[in-house]
Amino acid sequence: MKPKVYTCFCTDIIHEGHLNIIREAEKLGELTVGVLSDAEMIRYNRFPTKTTEERMEMIRELSGVSRVIEQKQIMYDEVIRSMKPDYVVHGDNWNDSAMQEIRKNILALLQEYGGELVEIPYTHNENVEKLDRQMREKLSMPEFRRGRLHKLLEMTPIVKTLEVHSGLTGLIAEKTIVAKGEAISQFDAMWISSLCDSTEKGKPDIELVDMTSRFRTIDDVLEVTTKPIIFDGDTGGLTEHFVYTVRSLERMGVSAVIIEDKTGLKKNSLFGTEIQQTQDTIENFCAKIAAGKRAQLSDDFMIIARIESLILERGQEDALERAGAYVKAGADGIMIHSRKKEPDEIFAFCDAFRAKDKKTPLVVVPSTFNTVTEEELAGHGVNIVIYANQMLRAAFPAMERVAKSILVNQRAFEADSDLMPIREIITLIDEL
Ligand code: SPV
Ligand code: MG
């Protein structure tokens, strides 16, 4: 009997590099190719533009492949334990820490029965590198990017969203990946916060930074990332203006806008009732949502309605009444906000909302009730969690500490251990 050989592909396209792996793997015995499942492709930073079945078909057509299976998990436990391949074949491009974890996982599993890992030198040539880049960057195109949020909502238990306010923070949301035991984790989407976009410019969060400037921030992020964007649209402004904002956002490839049901001079919700804030009437806000939905051209753009009733201490009943009305008016999702330290009122709202509405996506921003876990939120029917301001709040004290250190010491040496080495900063950005 021929030795059993296994390799796993997480790709939408086949290039020379993949064919080389198949050629080498086939020489070792009978080759089974695993195709990584859609859900795991997403977590693994390769958002599929083809379905699992289409990708399996693409591999079946290649000569040298005896069998194609779906690999359900990024880690190889299930597949290696059930198949016990004599050889697992992989390219030698274990680039990041997550890949290193996968390599360790494969080696440990093979060691259990004496299987072998065969590492094939990665094919470096202009064509392969161009195709790899195209596959990645195709995802940054508006048509692909815009619909990703919808797909993620179908595929992942909770869409993890990180605040970004610049190209650099966009890169952090795009590239940060951690391996923890058998799981690999990364952010699914990005949030362009009015609070952070304003603060970054040294301005208050009162709809002072105009849309042209906000769009400039979006553009900076779009330029260097592929993940979907949820835009904080504040109150949406006048309905007559909001319809133009919707068109612009969907043209740029933004996936969703969240608008909040306040009027007049909007101030940040975390002020709560310390300052005068006016909630819109249900009727007016519904009209704004409906106008936005009518203006929208693409099928996949989402208008999410944010309810401020708990922030303004108007109670659960008001929040639930508004949620029902906003969904009826066409809202594609509901964001419920709270500034309590504990998540109880959020859980109560989500449970009551879910009892009536099983499918409209729910969005939560746990800035003050930050002990709540993603699992708990998902357990109460939440679909999107937004970490709305942590990147900016991390940057400010770090920069201020260094500025103070330079003043105190009258030189930069003492601050150096807190700084990213120059060598790393110049290689942080990929060149085309
Ligand atoms: C923002 O990030 O700008 C938000 C969320 O609107 S909050 O600041 O919590 O109101
Ligand atoms: Mg805001």
Side-chain angles (χ1 to χ4, degrees), residues 93-149:
N93 52 325
W94 308 96
N95 293 328
D96 53 38
S97 61
M99 295 279 270
Q100 293 295 344
E101 287 301 314
I102 296 170
R103 184 172 185 274
K104 270 194 241 159
N105 166 266
I106 296 174
L107 286 171
L109 289 160
L110 291 173
Q111 205 183 18
E112 289 174 12
Y113 60 91
E116 202 182 310
L117 173 64
V118 178
E119 297 169 274
I120 312 279
Y122 188 76
T123 309
H124 287 284
N125 70 38
E126 224 173 86
N127 190 35
V128 164
E129 272 149 29
K130 185 169 166 213
L131 286 168
D132 273 347
R133 205 168 56 233
Q134 273 176 349
M135 184 170 75
R136 267 198 319 271
E137 288 180 9
K138 192 162 140 189
L139 301 176
S140 68
M141 295 299 176
E143 291 306 314
F144 279 106
R145 187 191 312 240
R146 197 176 48 232
R148 277 176 69 175
L149 186 63

Side-chain angles (χ1 to χ4, degrees), residues 163 191-197 205 214 232 234 260 262 266-271 306 308 311 335 337-338 365 367-368 386-389:
E163 176 265 310
W191 163 246
I192 300 200
S193 146
S194 67
L195 171 67
C196 300
D197 202 2
D205 180 20
R214 306 276 327 268
D232 177 357
D234 287 319
E260 60 195 270
K262 287 203 292 238
K266 184 226 80 164
K267 294 214 173 150
N268 188 272
S269 297
L270 302 177
F271 281 122
R306 162 172 166 176
E308 293 287 292
I311 293 283
M335 173 184 152
H337 207 17
S338 161
V365 178
S367 298
T368 52
I386 301 181
Y387 298 99
N389 49 40

Side-chain angles (χ1 to χ4, degrees), residues 35 42 51 58 132 165 189 214 354 361 401 419:
V35 166
I42 295 168
T51 63
M58 173 181 83
D132 273 347
H165 52 265
R214 306 276 327 268
R354 275 282 167 261
R401 201 166 45 246
L419 306 180

Side-chain angles (χ1 to χ4, degrees), residues 286-341:
C286 283
K288 197 182 281 187
I289 296 166
K293 288 311 286 178
R294 276 196 305 275
Q296 175 180 331
L297 287 178
S298 63
D299 294 331
D300 40 24
F301 184 75
M302 297 172 76
I303 298 179
I304 299 175
R306 162 172 166 176
I307 298 171
E308 293 287 292
S309 305
L310 304 182
I311 293 283
L312 301 172
E313 293 172 9
R314 301 261 161 80
Q316 265 324 326
E317 281 314 309
D318 184 71
L320 285 164
E321 186 191 346
R322 284 172 178 272
Y326 298 164
V327 171
K328 230 181 189 167
D332 301 290
I334 293 292
M335 173 184 152
I336 183 69
H337 207 17
S338 161
R339 59 191 164 84
K340 292 267 154 60
K341 278 246 166 262

